[in-house]
Amino acid sequence: MRLSADQMIFWKHGIFKLNGTIVFTWVLMLVMAVGSKLITRKLSTGADRTRWQNLLEIIVTAIDKQIEDVGLSHPEKYIGFIGTLFLFVAASSLCTIIPGYEPPTGSLSTTAALALCVFVAVPLFGIEEQGLSGYLKTYLKPTVIMLPFNIISEVSRTLALAVRLFGNMMSGAMIVAILVTITPFLFPIVMTLLGLLTGMVQAYIFSILAAVYIAAATSTRKRKTEQAEAGPVPTP
Amino acid sequence: MLIDWFTVCAQALDFLILVWLMKRYLYKPVLDAINVRETRIAAEIADADAKKAEALKERATFQSKNDDFDKQRAALLSKANDDVKSARQRLLDEARQAADALSAKRQETLRDDARNLNQAISRRTQQEVFGIARKALTDLAASDLEERMCAEFIRRLQAMEGEAKQAFGAALVAAPAPAVLRSAFDLPKEQHTQIQNALNQTFAAEIPVQFLTDTHLISGIELTANGQKLAWSIADYLVSLEHGVDELLKQKGRTDVQPAQERAVAPKPDSSEPSTTAPGKASP
């Protein structure tokens, strides 16, 4: 019994290997990219729109709104990263209804890669927003004593991101696989449906947590800017 | 080992490529399309707002003009009504005056006609009455009547007194020609003598008298001498009566003018009936 698609090796040469996780990821990337290209090929700016365009607009505007609600004032700047996180995880979960498919997010390598991307993207966005020193100073807040705890928090939350997604997706796939062996009818279907819901929730949680981390890293400058625009606070 | 670091790196690379692909083929076109649409809708809404504001302004202007027009129309209608009322009153007054004038003229004409008819009837009646009287007296004239006339003439002659008697006597005496005595019929000799004696006695002189017959005298005797005349005849009565009736008719015509003018204001349909005295009622 495979825990993940990593163990599905198609080709191997030294440290390079082509496993099921990479292949399914490529397939997903191809479907998402080609599908987006096909749908956005003839976008209408008028009142008459196709159903697919409406679907894409709903998805994109919903992501945009969620990012803005988290606290990022320029969502179009972050939608590429956060939106792709959500869509990739969601697509990975949705495709579990296809027989023979194994979600790439069920592999700890994939979730770790995504968590590492978040781990790298958060300081990059923070530095872009606040500058290097400004971002580094956030580790010293509220006091210098909190520096090691902040660093541990940074690392642990990345680890938590990776393990949370992996655990949920892997467990879902595992439960379905086990149930198929025990009760081959009906119950696996119900669990697959539950897995779809779980996958969507995980996609939402993963992308929202990434947005929250980015917002936390970029919010200091924003607060200062808002205070400067509001003027000096009157003292009682 | 659950983590394959090559797979981790490959998946991270794959994810970054997917991020680029999604931005390139999904987010950017969709967001651009949404922005274009929102911009266009915002422009349309702004345009609609501008048009709405303009429409409201034009509506206000139109409403104001409508109000002004209504006021002007009401004023013109009121003025026209007043003009019509005054014109109607004026025309009614003119028509009433014209009708009054026509009525008065008609009444006057009717009165003139009635008066003329009355006068004509009166004249005709008068002429007929007098003609009948003359004819009757002429028919009735006889010797007895001549005797009575002669006696009446003599009585009058003898009854003369004062200046009239003296003037007539002087005229008889001083006349170069004999006095002329006219009668409607030939007087008998006896009456010639009575008249001659009466003259001689009355004026105490021999009065020459020429006896003539005049058919125009109706049962009468007339003595003329040197411009003086002494006469008695029924014709004198008739002439006197005719003059009296003429005078009465003239007075009647004058008195009819005043009531006729008063009746002209409210004429009666039967006012054309003659109101003068009937011909049969004409008294001498």
Side-chain angles (χ1 to χ4, degrees):
Chain A
M1 185 178 186
R2 291 194 304 270
L3 276 180
S4 73
D6 287 358
Q7 297 163 353
M8 193 189 297
I9 306 294
F10 295 105
W11 175 81
K12 187 173 182 181
H13 185 269
I15 61 169
F16 299 102
K17 53 187 170 185
L18 191 63
N19 53 27
T21 302
I22 295 173
V23 170
F24 285 126
T25 301
W26 284 356
V27 172
L28 274 178
M29 286 170 62
L30 187 68
V31 169
M32 291 170 69
V34 172
S36 300
K37 173 67 178 173
L38 288 177
I39 295 172
T40 58
R41 184 181 49 184
K42 294 178 182 177
L43 281 180
S44 166
T45 57
D48 295 330
R49 300 185 293 273
T50 62
R51 294 178 181 177
W52 289 107
Q53 182 179 347
N54 278 332
L55 177 65
L56 281 190
E57 287 188 3
I58 289 169
I59 292 171
V60 172
T61 50
I63 295 170
D64 201 69
K65 186 73 168 49
Q66 285 295 322
I67 294 170
E68 192 174 10
D69 289 345
V70 166
L72 294 168
S73 56
H74 298 290
E76 66 276 6
K77 186 177 172 181
Y78 309 101
I79 193 172
F81 183 76
I82 298 170
T84 306
L85 272 178
F86 174 77
L87 289 180
F88 179 68
V89 177
S92 296
S93 303
L94 282 177
C95 287
T96 54
I97 60 173
I98 299 172
Y101 170 81
E102 290 198 18
T105 47
S107 160
L108 187 60
S109 302
T110 304
T111 57
L114 296 178
L116 281 173
C117 287
V118 174
F119 181 75
V120 174
V122 168
L124 283 180
F125 283 123
I127 291 168
E128 183 192 25
E129 193 72 25
Q130 308 185 45
L132 181 60
S133 61
Y135 175 73
L136 291 178
K137 282 178 184 174
T138 58
Y139 286 94
L140 303 177
K141 291 179 180 177
T143 61
V144 180
I145 303 170
M146 295 298 291
L147 176 63
F149 300 103
N150 283 331
I151 293 172
I152 291 170
S153 165
E154 199 78 13
V155 174
S156 65
R157 76 187 185 191
T158 303
L159 186 63
L161 269 180
V163 173
R164 182 190 301 113
L165 182 58
F166 163 71
N168 278 285
M169 299 308 294
M170 185 271 289
S171 63
M174 288 292 288
I175 288 169
V176 171
I178 293 167
L179 285 175
V180 165
T181 59
I182 299 171
T183 56
F185 301 108
L186 295 177
F187 202 63
I189 296 174
V190 177
M191 291 308 295
T192 303
L193 290 174
L194 187 61
L196 286 177
L197 178 64
T198 308
M200 295 305 294
V201 171
Q202 288 305 314
Y204 180 74
I205 288 172
F206 198 97
S207 55
I208 284 296
L209 282 175
V212 168
Y213 298 153
I214 294 171
T218 59
S219 60
T220 309
R221 170 69 63 87
K222 187 182 171 187
R223 280 198 296 268
K224 285 181 180 176
T225 307
E226 288 174 355
Q227 287 176 359
E229 288 175 353
V233 178
T235 55
Chain B
M1 185 64 180
L2 289 174
I3 295 180
D4 179 20
W5 290 106
F6 171 75
T7 306
V8 169
C9 294
Q11 288 294 80
L13 185 63
D14 288 344
F15 178 73
L16 292 177
I17 293 170
L18 184 63
V19 168
W20 181 79
L21 287 172
M22 289 291 102
K23 285 181 76 172
R24 172 81 170 78
Y25 294 118
L26 182 62
Y27 304 124
K28 189 171 184 303
V30 171
L31 289 176
D32 286 348
I34 291 172
N35 287 334
V36 169
R37 187 184 304 124
E38 285 181 348
T39 306
R40 187 173 54 77
I41 291 172
E44 287 178 353
I45 290 174
D47 187 46
D49 288 342
K51 284 182 178 174
K52 186 179 177 184
E54 187 180 356
L56 286 174
K57 186 180 174 185
E58 287 196 0
R59 190 180 73 173
T61 307
F62 180 73
Q63 190 66 39
S64 172
K65 285 183 179 177
N66 250 0
D67 293 342
D68 292 343
F69 177 73
D70 288 343
K71 288 178 183 173
Q72 289 178 1
R73 190 180 63 175
L76 286 174
L77 273 177
S78 174
K79 185 173 180 298
N81 279 334
D82 294 342
D83 290 346
V84 166
K85 283 180 182 174
S86 62
R88 177 175 172 273
Q89 190 60 40
R90 181 171 51 78
L91 290 174
L92 280 175
D93 292 342
E94 289 177 2
R96 189 176 293 117
Q97 289 174 0
D100 291 345
L102 281 175
S103 177
K105 188 176 179 183
R106 178 169 164 270
Q107 291 299 322
E108 185 64 26
T109 304
L110 288 174
R111 271 196 308 278
D112 288 344
D113 291 346
R115 193 161 50 240
N116 292 335
L117 181 62
N118 283 338
Q119 288 177 354
I121 291 172
S122 298
R123 276 194 299 273
R124 184 66 179 272
T125 304
Q126 176 187 349
Q127 290 170 358
E128 290 293 332
V129 166
F130 289 127
I132 291 168
R134 283 192 183 94
K135 192 171 185 303
L137 289 173
T138 304
D139 293 341
L140 290 174
S143 58
D144 291 342
L145 183 62
E146 296 297 331
E147 286 178 6
R148 285 301 308 158
M149 286 192 306
C150 187
E152 179 62 23
F153 180 75
I154 291 168
R155 189 190 62 79
R156 286 198 173 195
L157 185 64
Q158 291 172 346
M160 287 181 68
E161 289 180 352
E163 292 182 357
K165 184 179 178 180
Q166 290 178 358
F168 196 72
L172 287 173
V173 173
V180 176
L181 191 143
R182 291 185 181 86
S183 62
F185 303 94
D186 289 337
L187 295 173
K189 193 71 176 177
E190 182 182 354
Q191 290 180 359
H192 285 185
T193 305
Q194 288 177 358
I195 291 170
Q196 185 67 58
N197 292 333
L199 282 172
N200 293 336
Q201 289 175 0
T202 301
F203 299 106
E206 190 67 26
I207 306 298
V209 177
Q210 181 183 2
F211 293 92
L212 295 176
T213 302
D214 187 354
T215 55
H216 289 94
L217 291 171
I218 302 171
S219 300
I221 298 172
E222 179 185 272
L223 178 63
T224 56
N226 200 18
Q228 295 286 328
K229 184 170 98 175
L230 176 66
W232 179 93
S233 79
I234 294 174
D236 290 338
Y237 287 124
L238 291 177
V239 170
S240 174
L241 178 62
E242 192 171 358
H243 288 166
V245 170
D246 284 341
E247 188 65 26
L248 185 63
L249 286 176
K250 286 177 184 176
Q251 288 179 357
K252 180 81 174 173
R254 280 197 297 271
T255 54
D256 283 347
V257 173
Q258 187 69 21
Q261 287 178 350
E262 294 173 356
R263 282 196 304 272
V265 178
K268 293 179 180 177
D270 57 349
S271 60
S272 60
E273 294 291 328
S275 61
T276 54
T277 308
K281 292 182 180 178
S283 56

